[in-house]
Amino acid sequence: MSKQLSAEPRDEAARAAAAFGAAADVVDEAAAATFGVNRTDLRILGLVHTVGAMSATVLAGAANLSPAATTTAIQRLAAAGHLTRTVDENDRRRAVVALTPHAEELISRVYGPVERAGRRVLAAYSPEELALITGFLHRGIDMQLAEADRIRKMTA
């Protein structure tokens, strides 16, 4: 039999989760300004950094953008010196995008300290607590993405 959590701790946890998301948004706003890009373009840079070089089509799917919007963003990011766009050697019809060395270095300078600070915060928790936190975050990610899909469907 599991204990029911009272409404007050749930409310506090929900407020803390929302505040964490808002704080992450503030970091991303500062990073976007440093890169000289908008938030969508920053998200694209993050995806390419995480996944590595990819086709424009795969990037569009990962970013949940239309092919036209993705092409426009790639052009902006290439013009700003953050992305390269080359033709796939195995399929000449396919464009492949990758981060420039300058963008990789800037990501490291901007987000490297954030990652190290986060690891210092996590170091205070036991493996069991980290498992609980990780489970919460994974469920929260799934919930947020499902809500984004629901909201997108409202405009259709």
Side-chain angles (χ1 to χ4, degrees):
M1 191 182 301
S2 68
K3 270 183 151 176
Q4 288 291 341
L5 192 60
S6 71
E8 185 176 307
R10 279 193 187 103
D11 292 345
E12 186 176 337
R15 283 191 300 272
F20 180 85
D25 283 345
V26 171
V27 169
D28 286 343
E29 286 172 12
T34 298
F35 275 87
V37 300
N38 63 43
R39 294 288 299 277
T40 298
D41 290 358
L42 182 69
R43 187 162 40 99
I44 287 172
L45 292 174
L47 287 166
V48 177
H49 174 72
T50 300
V51 175
M54 67 179 83
S55 73
T57 302
V58 170
L59 179 57
N64 203 18
L65 295 171
S66 70
T70 304
T71 297
T72 301
I74 290 169
Q75 289 169 343
R76 276 193 309 267
L77 290 165
H82 298 310
L83 285 183
T84 61
R85 183 178 180 165
T86 57
V87 175
D88 186 332
E89 294 175 6
N90 298 321
D91 182 352
R92 307 289 299 161
R93 298 166 298 176
R94 192 172 88 129
V96 176
V97 296
L99 292 178
T100 63
H102 170 73
E104 286 281 7
E105 188 270 331
L106 192 53
I107 287 172
S108 179
R109 281 190 11 236
V110 168
Y111 286 106
V114 176
E115 180 182 359
R116 289 188 295 277
R119 288 183 181 277
R120 284 192 300 274
V121 169
L122 293 173
Y125 295 94
S126 71
E128 295 79 17
E129 290 170 321
L130 290 171
L132 179 67
I133 292 166
T134 300
F136 167 77
L137 291 172
H138 284 297
R139 284 188 293 281
I141 291 164
D142 291 345
M143 180 272 300
Q144 292 283 12
L145 294 175
E147 288 302 309
D149 285 342
R150 179 189 64 79
I151 294 165
R152 274 193 288 279
K153 289 175 184 169
M154 291 172 63
T155 61

